Amino acid sequence: MKYLKQALIILAFTLAGELLAKAIPLPIPAAIYGFILLFIALCTGVLKPEAIDKTADFMISLLPLLFVAPAVGILECFDILAPQILSFIAVVAVSTFLTFAAAGLVTQWLHKEERHD
């Protein structure tokens, strides 16, 4: 019953995101609105993390399954993509490095801000 209640809470934020996406004429996916609403609720204390933690952990554990279909699709089109494979590898490598660097810099900045408080 606990999992059902937690899933319904997450579903409510998903529904609120869908409603916002319909109401606001911006090209932002409904899931992003839902995530923002959930983030605000968690940050303000309106929603305690314990209210969704078990179901959220379960959903995150299923996340790798979402990458199976795109990976199979890429393998099916490999003959089309093969001539540009080095370009794809370069883009993935550079974007991964930039993501790691940005995450590291933000983390350092946040730790520095914590020490000043």
Side-chain angles (χ1 to χ4, degrees), residues 47-63:
L47 182 66
K48 302 288 183 213
E50 298 81 30
I52 59 168
D53 62 348
K54 300 294 183 203
T55 301
D57 287 342
F58 173 70
M59 289 178 166
I60 289 172
S61 73
L62 296 177
L63 199 57

Side-chain angles (χ1 to χ4, degrees), residues 10-33:
I10 293 171
L11 185 63
F13 280 96
T14 304
L15 178 62
E18 291 288 339
L19 295 174
L20 270 178
K22 299 270 189 244
I24 300 173
L26 293 174
I28 298 174
I32 300 301
Y33 285 121

